[in-house]
Amino acid sequence: MPADTIVAIDGPAGSGKSTIARRVAKALGFTFLDTGAMYRAATWRALRDGIDMEDREALVASTRAMDLSLLSDGESLKVSVDGEDVTLEIRAEPLTSKIRALDGIPEVRERLVELQRAFGAQGRVVAEGRDMGTVVFRQARCKIFLDASLEARTRRRAEQLREEGVVVEEAQLKVTIHARDESDRNRDASPLRAAEDALVLDTTSMTLEEVEAVILEQARAVF
Ligand code: DC
């Protein structure tokens, strides 16, 4: 696997990973891999089929049977499950709070990691998620861990949602993001943490452009 041409970006919800990863991919001429979209897609499929979210075996079987396609045109990402376009639906809030029913199951992670590595095998990929640098692309030579205060992440997510026309209650959003942090950091399977060889960036008072410039400098020094 040409993991030396992979940029691995990890961080908590609302840290700006997705926006940054897209911009970095575009600037480097790399493909963008949104692994959160894969956990979202697996959750969507389970909900579609009315699977009991406590039934681990059924969740694993559903994830293994999923026909998943991620098509990136550089700007946007189209996600399809079993031939159906689910790009918008997988971002909806009721679904987001159910992802944790799957993301702590080792067999679910194994299957999605397998797909992620197959995607990465082509090389020249910017991959973002929670365990890119610690598990999936451990050999990547450019690893970034993006962080920001809970307040900053809440503010950014609220702005993003408002731009999409969604009415947001910031206090509630903050509680939701905090709950996802706890779940991401404290699960047994691949908990969210920075890889030892990752560059940790606290972006609380950085602009998007500044974050992008630091990552590009790091990437260009390596590739
Ligand atoms: O990045 P996101 O918000 O789209 O991710 C959705 C959820 O998927 C996140 O709360 C945790 C899970 N996830 C994960 O466990 N491992 C990844 N590599 C990416 C996402």
Side-chain angles (χ1 to χ4, degrees), residues 40 43-44 47 89-99:
R40 289 174 181 276
T43 306
W44 180 88
L47 293 171
E89 285 172 63
I90 60 167
R91 308 283 165 197
E93 184 43 51
L95 182 148
T96 300
S97 56
K98 299 205 167 68
I99 307 171

Side-chain angles (χ1 to χ4, degrees), residues 14-30:
S15 58
K17 292 183 308 289
S18 181
T19 312
I20 291 290
R22 272 172 221 258
R23 291 173 69 126
V24 168
K26 194 170 178 200
L28 293 172
F30 282 22

